[in-house]
Amino acid sequence: MIFRQLFDSVSGTYSYLMASRAGGEALILDPVLEKVDRYCQLLRELDLKLVKAIDTHLHADHVTGLGELRDRTQCVTVMGEQTKADVVSMRVSDGDKIKIEGIGLDVMYTPGHTDDSYSYLMGDRVFTGDTLLIRGTGRTDFQNGSARAQYDSIFNRLLKLPDETMVFPAHDYKGDTVSTIGEERRYNPRLQVRSIDEYIELMNNLKLPNPKLMDVVIPANMHVGLRQDDLAKRGLALTPREAIARLGQPDILLVDLREAHERAKHGTLTGALHAPYPDIADSLKPGGMLREVAAATGRRIVFFCAFGERSAMAVTAAKDAGLTNAVHIEGGIDAWKKAGGPVVAG
């Protein structure tokens, strides 16, 4: 496996790039905006295709690289379902699994530092965000943080993992790069408490200053979504109500770009063809499934996804491939449901 731990010295942030092989799909955890050039250079050097970019939570000390990486690589952006970010391509919840070629991350909801904090388990290692740090824990005094919730996340979730599980946090300020669950249980000073009340008292009396750029960074990180209004102005989008009115018409081909687990969890639209977004380039090539179906039937492709990001990128990809009559449903199936549109089991 290709695994790289990357560091931003300004914010003390660790980002993690991983892939199962050279020439294959890759994902990145907690990217920093100012380091995107470096990430892209490394992707080229290792011959990797970035397909997913994940934030463990809404960061308060640096601007996320999610939006810039999406714009440069057309990757899928991922955060937890509680996120306050305006749009990410995929929202996950506890028990989900994030998959790319050869790699799977088990999704663990571990709130406390913030109410949208997640950890990601991959075999012998866990990426803990700011929930569990090396010899420390993330502060709990803003962004709907909760020392009580964090105690539960750490003691009843993370510390239940095998002792040898490696711990890779999102931040470190002392130069430590990795720990283990067993080490943290024994030597993390904040975990040597005798009760949840003692932990709450400890965390409530840290008296830490706010991150220097918090008032700028948090609003920036809440607005990373891909602008979809440009497609609408160019006639390349349907509002949910317009799409609902056209449901069942023989001249359109509904194409669901979400992954199988999203369809199973949230349902799909009647008659929709399943064509997962990571394969969109191949589907639109000469001989590709979508291109051949569109050519054979003369039907207009109507892409949809969870929130409209992947479908907006698919419309652009289709246009670049010469399919000029493709459109997408603004806001995805989330907006479709809010407009009263029917769904069926995926």
Side-chain angles (χ1 to χ4, degrees):
M1 185 179 78
I2 295 172
F3 180 79
R4 297 290 185 273
Q5 183 181 45
L6 305 162
F7 187 60
D8 173 50
S9 59
V10 176
S11 61
T13 303
Y14 283 126
S15 304
Y16 300 93
L17 177 69
M18 59 199 87
S20 62
R21 65 176 178 87
E25 295 182 347
L27 63 80
I28 192 168
L29 272 167
D30 289 326
V32 176
L33 177 61
E34 287 80 6
K35 297 295 183 181
V36 167
D37 285 342
R38 173 58 183 146
Y39 306 148
C40 290
Q41 177 186 359
L42 190 57
L43 289 164
R44 290 190 297 270
E45 291 170 351
L46 299 178
D47 187 27
L48 297 174
K49 177 187 177 185
L50 187 68
V51 295
K52 289 193 170 95
I54 306 165
D55 265 353
T56 53
H57 62 286
L58 193 74
H59 294 283
D61 57 357
H62 69 269
V63 178
T64 178
L66 289 193
E68 184 70 14
L69 283 170
R70 175 205 59 223
D71 294 345
R72 292 202 198 186
T73 69
Q74 288 72 60
C75 67
V76 172
T77 55
V78 184
M79 290 186 74
E81 63 182 356
Q82 294 82 2
T83 182
K84 305 300 189 297
D86 54 353
V87 179
V88 288
S89 298
M90 183 185 297
R91 297 187 182 212
V92 294
S93 57
D94 188 73
D96 285 349
K97 197 175 189 78
I98 297 174
K99 294 181 180 179
I100 65 169
E101 174 196 22
I103 288 177
L105 297 179
D106 294 312
V107 179
M108 301 174 66
Y109 181 42
T110 52
H113 170 61
T114 66
D115 62 352
D116 68 340
S117 290
Y118 278 76
S119 299
Y120 296 93
L121 177 65
M122 185 181 70
D124 64 353
R125 63 199 65 193
V126 62
F127 304 93
T128 54
D130 284 4
T131 300
L132 177 61
L133 305 176
I134 298 174
R135 308 300 191 267
T137 57
R139 61 192 298 172
T140 59
D141 56 340
F142 57 77
Q143 285 186 267
N144 297 316
S146 164
R148 182 175 296 275
Q150 188 175 69
Y151 180 94
D152 184 64
S153 295
I154 293 172
F155 283 87
N156 297 322
R157 297 297 304 275
L158 294 172
L159 294 186
K160 299 292 187 184
L161 297 172
D163 275 4
E164 62 271 18
T165 305
M166 290 182 285
V167 173
F168 288 100
H171 288 93
D172 190 84
Y173 309 100
K174 305 177 298 293
D176 293 320
T177 58
V178 62
S179 182
T180 67
I181 290 293
E183 276 184 51
E184 293 310 307
R185 181 186 288 108
R186 290 188 294 271
Y187 305 123
N188 190 320
R190 292 191 187 171
L191 305 188
Q192 309 312 307
V193 293
R194 291 163 294 184
S195 68
I196 187 170
D197 290 334
E198 188 177 333
Y199 185 77
I200 292 170
E201 183 178 4
L202 183 157
M203 296 303 294
N204 287 348
N205 288 283
L206 293 179
K207 295 181 172 59
L208 298 173
N210 283 342
K212 293 178 181 178
L213 300 177
M214 185 174 77
D215 292 341
V216 175
V217 167
I218 290 179
N221 288 340
M222 289 173 64
H223 297 289
V224 296
L226 179 67
R227 293 183 63 87
Q228 299 176 34
D229 51 356
D230 180 58
L231 290 179
K233 292 175 183 175
R234 292 157 55 197
L236 299 176
L238 298 176
T239 68
R241 294 193 181 281
E242 289 172 337
I244 290 168
R246 299 185 189 187
L247 186 63
Q249 291 183 359
D251 60 333
I252 66 170
L253 175 65
L254 288 167
V255 177
D256 188 347
L257 298 169
R258 297 170 302 153
E259 298 182 9
H261 73 90
E262 296 176 275
R263 288 162 50 88
K265 188 172 183 178
H266 300 290
T268 189
L269 308 187
T270 300
L273 181 69
H274 187 210
Y277 175 77
D279 302 323
I280 190 68
D282 289 335
S283 290
L284 293 170
K285 288 178 181 177
M289 177 189 64
L290 283 180
R291 193 180 190 94
E292 292 304 308
V293 170
T297 64
R299 295 160 77 185
R300 188 182 202 190
I301 294 175
V302 179
F303 292 114
F304 69 93
C305 59
F307 303 101
E309 274 215 350
R310 280 170 281 182
S311 57
M313 291 189 288
V315 169
T316 300
K319 189 172 182 296
D320 292 343
L323 298 178
T324 57
N325 66 341
V327 297
H328 85 123
I329 299 176
E330 289 180 316
I333 199 166
D334 178 68
W336 170 278
K337 286 181 177 180
K338 289 174 180 174
V343 297
V344 296

